[in-house]
Each structure stands twice: as C-alpha cells, then as structure tokens.
Amino acid sequence: MTDTISITLNGERHELARPTTARDLVSGLVDKDITVDGTPVDGSRLGIALAVDGEVIRRGKWSEFTLAEGHNVDIVTAVQGG
C-alpha cells in the first residue's frame, strides 16, 4: 500500500500524502492555516471554491472531506473587476 495518492488538480496530475483533506490541500496551495470551518486563521478571505468530481464541497466540509486516488479537483478563485 502506498502512502501517496494521485489526483488531478485543475487539469494537472499531483501526488499527495495520504490522508489529505480538502482543507489540507487548500491550506497548502494558499500557504495559510485554515480553521475547521474553512476560514483562514489570519482572518483574511480566500475567495476560493472547490469541487471534487464536479461536485462543490462547501467550505465548512473541507476538513471532513478526504481526497482519494483519482479524484478530479477543481479550485476556482474569485476575481474582482469588470
């Protein structure tokens, strides 16, 4: 049994340590500690939405959602402007 899993993140393959939650993934990508409810510890805003296999995972569920081999993860960042 391997200690890593392979996922597709925004169209690119990534290897992750097992287990990795959605919160762990986002925290690593934005380089911020994130609370159990999905908000940054520093009080900033993320402006991020995350979907796994086409289903949006609510921010409050990121800590409970463990990524698995073959998951297709899309992370979208809100951009302000017009």
Side-chain angles (χ1 to χ4, degrees):
M1 185 162 166
T2 180
D3 293 324
T4 63
I5 59 170
S6 179
I7 67 164
T8 301
L9 173 62
N10 290 349
E12 295 184 15
R13 299 293 274 175
H14 287 268
E15 298 290 323
L16 302 175
R18 180 189 310 248
T20 296
T21 65
R23 181 179 76 161
D24 296 334
L25 178 64
V26 172
S27 178
L29 291 172
V30 298
D31 196 25
K32 293 183 180 184
D33 290 330
I34 298 177
T35 65
V36 182
D37 68 1
T39 58
V41 171
D42 65 7
S44 64
R45 299 183 66 162
L46 288 178
I48 288 177
L50 179 144
V52 176
D53 294 341
E55 185 170 331
V56 174
I57 309 299
R58 292 183 0 190
R59 185 177 305 247
K61 299 290 186 186
W62 288 356
S63 295
E64 304 167 13
F65 192 95
T66 301
L67 296 166
E69 179 73 27
H71 270 154
N72 187 10
V73 180
D74 291 306
I75 294 181
V76 179
T77 304
V79 176
Q80 200 171 19

